[in-house]
Amino acid sequence: MNVELAAKIKGIFSEHFSAAPDLYFSPGRINLIGEHIDYNDGFVMPAAIDKGIYYAIAKNQSHEVNFYAADYKEKLCVNIGNIKKAAGWENYVLSVVNEFLVLNKPISGFDCAFGGDIPVGSGMSSSAAVECGLAFALNDIFNCGLTRTALALLCQRAEHNYPNVKCGIMDMYAGLNGKKDHVLFLDCKNISHEYFPLQLKGYKIVLINSKVHHSLASGEYNIRRQRCEEGLPILKKELNISSFRDIKKPEDVALHKNKMTTEVYNCCRYVVDEIARTKKGASMLQKNDLAAFGKLMYETHKGLSELYDVSCAELDFLVTYAGADRNVIGARLMGGGFGGCTINIVKETAVTDFVEQVTAAYNKQFNILAGAYIVETGDGTGRINLLLTE
Ligand code: GLA
């Protein structure tokens, strides 16, 4: 946890509001494998990280909902009877408030300040962290009694609604249920998980931020989801299955290639491959076979780039560069794609050199200064007490 940042958000709250606030932390997430299959009944392997969004929040005994977004230095004041779709960051918080109202939960006016240390649009899911932090805090201060799973589903509906991104459950679920030094093996059909210890002896997870703008709201994300929704009924009928996960042999999808457009076929093929890869990846991670796991990460990237079509020249460059470095055992684009970060598993002793070299080569090629983060896993969304950490 970033104690300084938490204290800063608390200080910012006090500059704008008068009550003594409660503090919450809501993490971003990484995802080791299982990309774009959370909304396709797949399995995914995310983990919460130690970076995220901090909230300072207090009831205000009125019907006014007041937000101060520290990262934008912007304020928003709305009557709770007048919550509606807006634009930008406002949509993420207002949509969460709206979902509590839809469920008739007993919330009323509150003041809050929030801000964090995850770069927006980097693929570390800052939007889910904003949503989950607010949902968790409202549930807590107004005693709404929602479980972590119910909060994850509420935040997913919130993201579908005002921001209009038809995301899966992975980001919210991972943020709310993360556990330090563990990854989740999340079954997105049954919405349940197991924890796997993350043992990266001698290796580190390094994210390289391409700084290419990543906006799921641009509609491309929703288009990928639609392609899968178009292909699935055809496969259901032809293969007598009820879900992508029931297709045991990925080659079976190819038998029905002529019944769909190339785009739809490629997406379905990728999904079936990736579900199989994630299951394989889980057993490799349990056996601590990092080298084999890393190979699967490269395969995932290839599928995301060539079949699912969510990569770009910058991400392909970063992954190819990593693939040529013997100290990197796995790399791929992470998250929705179209920019954002790559995730790399790098030998600990070589991290500094790798970061220096890949960022220099990237800068030479694209004239962009990439960002680099060595991530640590962390616990899920929760209340924090600065007194205990000082
Ligand atoms: C975004 C979405 C997730 C998931 C990933 C791709 O992060 O929010 O639900 O679909 O993209 O795996």
Side-chain angles (χ1 to χ4, degrees):
M1 191 179 69
N2 185 337
V3 179
E4 266 171 35
L5 184 52
K8 185 177 153 199
I9 297 297
K10 191 179 174 198
I12 290 175
F13 179 96
S14 303
E15 284 165 24
H16 293 271
F17 311 109
S18 54
D22 286 317
L23 297 181
Y24 296 86
F25 172 65
S26 180
R29 63 101 191 91
I30 52 169
N31 184 25
L32 288 190
I33 200 159
E35 216 65 89
H36 281 279
I37 53 172
D38 58 343
Y39 53 88
N40 282 312
D41 282 350
F43 305 90
V44 295
M45 293 189 71
I49 56 172
D50 59 351
K51 293 187 190 309
I53 303 288
Y54 294 83
Y55 270 91
I57 184 164
K59 295 182 196 177
N60 65 15
Q61 319 302 337
S62 79
H63 294 291
E64 295 295 322
V65 170
N66 297 311
F67 292 97
Y68 184 80
D71 298 332
Y72 299 92
K73 298 192 169 58
E74 283 174 14
K75 207 166 176 176
L76 166 69
C77 310
V78 192
N79 189 290
I80 201 152
N82 193 26
I83 301 291
K84 52 178 187 281
K85 191 169 168 162
W89 66 266
E90 302 183 357
N91 264 339
Y92 294 90
V93 287
L94 291 176
S95 202
V96 168
V97 175
N98 178 55
E99 292 301 328
F100 274 82
L101 297 173
V102 168
L103 292 178
N104 276 321
K105 291 294 171 188
I107 62 166
S108 57
F110 61 88
D111 301 328
C112 84
F114 69 98
D117 54 3
I118 354 180
V120 171
S122 62
M124 286 183 249
S125 205
S126 55
S127 59
V130 167
E131 291 155 350
C132 294
L134 179 60
F136 190 94
L138 292 180
N139 188 46
D140 201 32
I141 64 173
F142 290 107
N143 278 318
C144 298
L146 294 167
T147 62
R148 283 179 189 260
T149 300
L151 287 172
L153 290 165
L154 180 150
C155 291
Q156 186 192 18
R157 293 194 298 276
E159 179 121 2
H160 284 195
N161 200 353
Y162 292 2
N164 190 31
V165 179
K166 307 297 181 193
C167 65
I169 191 72
M170 172 170 77
D171 303 351
M172 292 82 187
Y173 195 96
L176 281 156
N177 293 289
K179 186 166 158 186
K180 188 161 175 45
D181 297 326
H182 290 77
V183 290
L184 286 95
F185 183 68
L186 167 60
D187 179 334
C188 301
K189 184 163 189 249
N190 301 324
I191 319 208
S192 61
H193 71 279
E194 281 174 58
Y195 290 113
F196 289 177
L198 186 61
Q199 289 159 337
L200 293 176
K201 282 191 199 98
Y203 285 86
K204 285 279 172 198
I205 294 178
V206 181
L207 305 184
I208 303 293
N209 188 354
S210 69
K211 303 258 181 83
V212 174
H213 191 57
H214 161 94
S215 173
L216 299 183
S218 69
E220 284 298 320
Y221 181 94
N222 293 352
I223 290 172
R224 296 305 175 282
R225 188 172 178 147
Q226 280 160 14
R227 286 180 189 162
C228 298
E229 283 167 1
E230 200 178 314
L232 183 59
I234 299 169
L235 296 173
K236 274 184 176 173
K237 189 167 149 245
E238 300 294 339
L239 298 173
N240 195 22
I241 45 128
S242 63
S243 158
F244 280 118
R245 68 164 63 181
D246 301 332
I247 302 174
K248 298 291 174 244
K249 286 194 287 177
E251 313 77 61
D252 283 355
V253 182
L255 302 174
H256 306 286
K257 194 173 176 174
N258 63 351
K259 302 186 180 85
M260 10 181 146
T261 64
T262 307
E263 286 82 7
V264 169
Y265 167 75
N266 285 345
C267 284
C268 293
R269 179 65 207 247
Y270 165 80
V271 166
V272 176
D273 287 349
E274 182 71 352
I275 291 177
R277 254 193 307 265
T278 304
K279 288 205 286 196
K280 217 170 167 191
S283 76
M284 279 160 184
L285 210 63
Q286 278 177 313
K287 283 190 231 147
N288 234 342
D289 190 348
L290 276 187
F293 188 85
K295 286 201 183 103
L296 292 179
M297 290 171 74
Y298 287 116
E299 282 177 27
T300 293
H301 184 79
K302 194 167 185 290
L304 287 167
S305 179
E306 293 173 10
L307 294 174
Y308 219 68
D309 195 19
V310 291
S311 189
C312 55
E314 291 86 348
L315 291 172
D316 288 345
F317 177 91
L318 289 172
V319 173
T320 305
Y321 193 92
D325 184 331
R326 68 191 159 79
N327 292 313
V328 183
I329 57 171
R332 61 178 195 80
L333 80 83
M334 187 184 75
F338 313 107
C341 283
T342 59
I343 177 170
N344 306 264
I345 301 188
V346 187
K347 203 173 203 170
E348 195 164 356
T349 50
V351 167
T352 314
D353 285 351
F354 168 66
V355 167
E356 252 178 52
Q357 288 160 9
V358 72
T359 50
Y362 185 70
N363 194 18
K364 193 166 167 220
Q365 182 81 9
F366 297 102
N367 202 16
I368 304 174
L369 280 176
Y373 313 89
I374 299 163
V375 285
E376 299 294 335
T377 57
D379 289 329
T381 313
R383 191 171 176 150
I384 53 177
N385 187 341
L386 282 184
L387 293 176
L388 292 179
T389 52
E390 274 161 6

